[in-house]
Amino acid sequence: MSKILVFGHQNPDTDAIGAAIAFANLQKELGKDAEAVALGEPNEETAFALNHFGLTAPRVVETVANEVEQVMLVDHNEFQQSAADIEKVEILAVVDHHRIANFQTANPLYYRAEPVGCTSTIILKLYKENNVEVPKNIAGMMLSAIVSDTLLFKSPTCTQEDVKAAKELAEIAGVDLEGYGLEMLKAGTNLGTKSASDLIDLDAKSFPMGGSNLRIAQVNTVDLAEVFARQAELESAMQEANTANGYDLFVLVVTNILDSDSEILIVGEPKENVEKAFNVTLDNNRALLKGVVSRKKQVVPQLTAAFEG
Amino acid sequence: MSKILVFGHQNPDTDAIGAAIAFANLQKELGKDAEAVALGEPNEETAFALNHFGLTAPRVVETVANEVEQVMLVDHNEFQQSAADIEKVEILAVVDHHRIANFQTANPLYYRAEPVGCTSTIILKLYKENNVEVPKNIAGMMLSAIVSDTLLFKSPTCTQEDVKAAKELAEIAGVDLEGYGLEMLKAGTNLGTKSASDLIDLDAKSFPMGGSNLRIAQVNTVDLAEVFARQAELESAMQEANTANGYDLFVLVVTNILDSDSEILIVGEPKENVEKAFNVTLDNNRALLKGVVSRKKQVVPQLTAAFEG
């Protein structure tokens, strides 16, 4: 039996790494020679979770065809978010909660996507369908992934299934859901040690919109003022990124995980489309977006409508 | 609540229609306003099954955006096999057992694919996961789909899961699996009433291979001699199709569903690639392929290797 690598997307977050560990373990229980790997180092939030549950970070790889012929993907499907040589291997399975795009296979495969808040919620179902028990430490990691993806259930991407799964996993892991969850989210908000250019690249994605090239980054914090104390430094890093990469407009979304609000910082043009998108007036390149926490549901569609409408 | 259309691929076979009926019924039980439709009239095998279980053929549509905003696909995903205006609607769910290609969505969706022999095998699982009972007549239609796709379990695409599902469905439907299955397959082999040009177009697909344009059609029979009594007429229809559509080589695969062998008839060039693919010598443009019943697994890959190798 040949080995199978299991991994999440580039720039891995807690779900990308947690779901890979959980799904690889399930495959091993089902008799497959599966290993969880990652397309990058864990971020501070993920490192906190791994450490809390006594798990080792998965080995980091950039390419996969040099060591295996078959892989399984979690928490992503689009090839540009995957291993650099993904088209050289056979994809046996995908478990995901995103749209499907830029993805294709030569053979029939196992594909399980559901419109829920977190891949780990789906993976818990797969354990049950296969009558496999979730080990205590892996339950903790899956719980961490749900807390991370849903911002402790405050994101509009969160479904009742995510809440139910998290409660069940907290029970198995033996942790207090609210207490542990907030502690883990806070561990990911330690931005002080990062340079401005690292900070705006931590969780950043590019989006072409109506002829403009947008870069939209998001960081979590428990103190908006602490982040905006570095506004000049951040603006300068964003300006540099725009020039170096041809972005027309850089949107930094700074999310307060305690209040579930976000403040945005804008560098580039046309700024009036941002004002139109969120029905706000920028002041000193900033605006508070009340109740906004999800880039996927509350930022990208609104900007798309303003730029393409 | 707005209406949702559920449908299988163009040129529908028994699985495309049976899975649409079964999945639409499941969605209705789960509270959705779903209707099964079809992208074409049922073939004779499917009509036999519908009639046997007292079901009406789904309404035939070509486009969907004129009546709904949301759809669910069964037994296919590739857009060129789907409704003509598939890109104008939101795809909420897909249940399928094919490779994924030429498919994308703007939003997260429910996608359930498994590498089994028939979509209806997966749909039986979905009924169970949702604790919904399969109605007797729909169980009969799902059973018919499995028999059709696996040629009564003789196709190499058939898995143990398909066999298990078919037995369970036969019990619910109250039919003798082997007896009914053979009767249904035979109903699809009534080729005598069809013109030669209809016959070579019943189940035909095009495949570009290494610079050549191949057309590969398959028909089922219980009597190879009866089909080949019309060899001259068939060759002439294949020659016409080649000329009219720019095919270099037409391969007609005539499958004996009783013996699980196929005899091929070839019109076009280069014929030596066909001989190489199957390690046979053509005699009067024909060759017997022992044990070959699956175009997907036993014909297309072998021809691809010969044409591209």
Side-chain angles (χ1 to χ4, degrees), chain A residues 92 96-116 125 129 296, chain B residues 92 96-116 125 129 296:
Chain A
L92 290 181
D96 191 21
H97 67 129
H98 294 92
R99 69 172 195 161
I100 300 177
N102 191 19
F103 177 85
Q104 66 168 25
T105 64
N107 297 312
L109 75 162
Y110 182 91
Y111 200 110
R112 182 73 169 256
E114 300 191 20
V116 293
K125 281 192 192 185
E129 288 171 17
K296 193 201 283 186
Chain B
L92 290 180
D96 192 20
H97 67 128
H98 295 92
R99 69 172 196 164
I100 298 176
N102 191 20
F103 177 85
Q104 66 169 24
T105 64
N107 296 312
L109 75 163
Y110 183 91
Y111 200 111
R112 182 74 170 256
E114 300 190 20
V116 293
K125 281 193 192 185
E129 288 171 17
K296 191 201 284 185

Side-chain angles (χ1 to χ4, degrees), chain B residues 190-208:
Chain B
N190 179 18
L191 306 174
T193 61
K194 297 202 166 51
S195 72
S197 65
D198 282 353
L199 195 148
I200 63 163
D201 198 43
L202 268 182
D203 177 11
K205 294 181 178 175
S206 299
F207 299 88

